Amino acid sequence: MTRKPADLFYLQKEGIYAVPAIHYNMETAAQVRMVFDAIKPDCVAVELAETMQLKLLHAASRLPDVSVVISYDANHSPIYYLCEPCDASFECLRCALEAQIPGYCIDLDVDYYPDVREHLPDPYAIQRIGLKSYYELCAATMNKEGVVKSAMDVDRELYMAAKLKELSFRYDRILFVGGMSHVESVLKLVDRTSFPKAKHAVREMVEICSLTEESCREVMAEFGWISRKYEELRETYLDPRESDAGQLAFPPDRQKLMYRLYRDSSEKYKENTGNAFPGYHLKNMMKFVRNYALLHNRLMPDLYQILCSAKGCVDHNYAYEVWQLATEYPFRKNIDALAELDLSIEDVWGHSKLMRFHMKQPSRKPFAFLDRHRKDRSSIRFKPPSPFSICSYPPEDLVIEKFGDFLKKKGTQLLTEEAARTLPFSTGLEDGIDTRETIRHWHEKKLYVKVSGKPPGGVGSVVMIFDEDSPQEGKVYQEKYPWRTTWLGEHTQESDMAFYATSMLANVVGPGICRCEYGGFMMSYPPRRMMNVWSDGDYEGCRTKAELLLMAAIDYAVKPLIVYVASKPPRSILKSFARRFGKKIVYIPIGQLSPVTLNKLRVFHVLDGHDKRAFADEYIH
């Protein structure tokens, strides 16, 4: 790969070639790399503290491994110099070391330098319009605003100009990398015939350390994915024979790198969750993150905005995969066994935003009941129960299944209504005119229409609690519903059911026919998957029978909603348990349902064999 000098930009004063740079930015680091290759300097000089030159050169020699050079100010507060591939100054020193030419740190070391946040256009513009246009725009803006430099900055510029003048007596071609707001002033000051004496701040100790893997993920200025791809493309740039048509060009395009981050993360997401990843997710995320960046007057988003886009357009699991890949940095080796520091982002960069991932875990119960016994299901056939086993009374099954369907529809309707909203009429009537809101806003002379919410994914389980049958403080506990069992659906139109009820032998109403009363039941769809939940060790920590049924309903649900009907809502810990698996509990107070219907549902009959179904109706009224 070759570059024409016309493609590059630098300020020149005799034998000094100056590149205006933004610290810890990939675009300007790439510009330094290309200028170095084009002008082939005899030495390089960078805007880094002269007192730490040996350690800073050592750090540059370790690249692409990340280092941190540490010193302390007069108040013994730490000062960190983070050395990573995407910083223009360290890129310049690295190029000098690779070319075996001298590298110099020529900045004045000062204490208590203020934390200056320069309001510059997004550096990604360099990728599109070039460094020349970008710098001219920044210079015009700074001159227009009439920014007055501090005395500390003036001293630093004078010191760097003096050092550059000294180097110009020894070298013909000098590459200087300085800050965007300093480089032009430094070149002008080089013409001076005398310079005031300046004194460095006292540094009693300067040391170099490596970073732990967790710290690398957190503190790198250009997060791991950007630095990694920059390093890979930098190597390709050095040896163009290894490149091919499928690779990205140098300098890297941040927008394309971000797209590849989303795309590669989707493969891990599909592998770890088993969920599909439709192509429209990429389109939605790129549009979302672009608009998010524009809201903050940026062309490209930062890592926080990239993760917010992944969470909002897909889910938390995918955002976690994006974070994992985005912050991974494989070049951290520490082959020289330096001491490893565990720094936080606050230690190096100050205040930051915190992001949490609420992961959706796979269900603890397998989809198929028979999977627990044998993985090869080709020879397995469902066998009807023995004629000597207990069974239900079919007319009652129809009633309770119909009631279960009613609860599923009601739960879905509740969530849809919660998400509904009212909007001013614009182009269509949507779901009809909202008369109440229209009257309330009559003074605005506008019509308001109803817009239904997005329908949820469907109900996987239903829990109905008539009586929690739990001990009460200060009273002797007498169990009302001692019989606990699990029934499997006999065909695809029935659900699996777990319930607790009165004793099966307490009220015999016919030959092989007994009358029972539910305390509570749980139904899960589709059938033939449920094991005996009452002997399942996963539910030993449940306080009551009602909580056990609800937790089992969450585990066995294959759809995201669980309808829970009871006299009081479930505890928050059960709601959190449901969220962990990507599910939601829809609570319906039992008082909202018809008492007549509930009394009819609560009573059921158990037969001691299928043969009793032929005459059971003679004993059941």
Side-chain angles (χ1 to χ4, degrees), residues 353-366:
K353 295 179 181 178
L354 181 66
M355 175 168 288
R356 299 184 185 275
F357 300 105
H358 303 285
M359 306 288 287
K360 296 178 183 177
Q361 300 178 13
S363 175
R364 301 184 299 178
K365 308 299 179 186

Side-chain angles (χ1 to χ4, degrees), residues 17 64 69 132 249 256 283 376 390 423 427 510 515 557:
Y17 300 82
V69 176
K132 182 176 185 296
K256 293 179 180 179
K283 179 181 178 182
D376 180 12
I390 62 174
L423 298 174
T427 57
R515 182 180 183 274

Side-chain angles (χ1 to χ4, degrees), residues 5 10 68 120 132 157 183 209 251 376 424 474 576 583:
Y10 45 81
V68 58
L120 297 175
K132 182 176 185 296
E157 290 174 357
V183 64
C209 298
D376 180 12
S576 300
K583 297 168 185 176

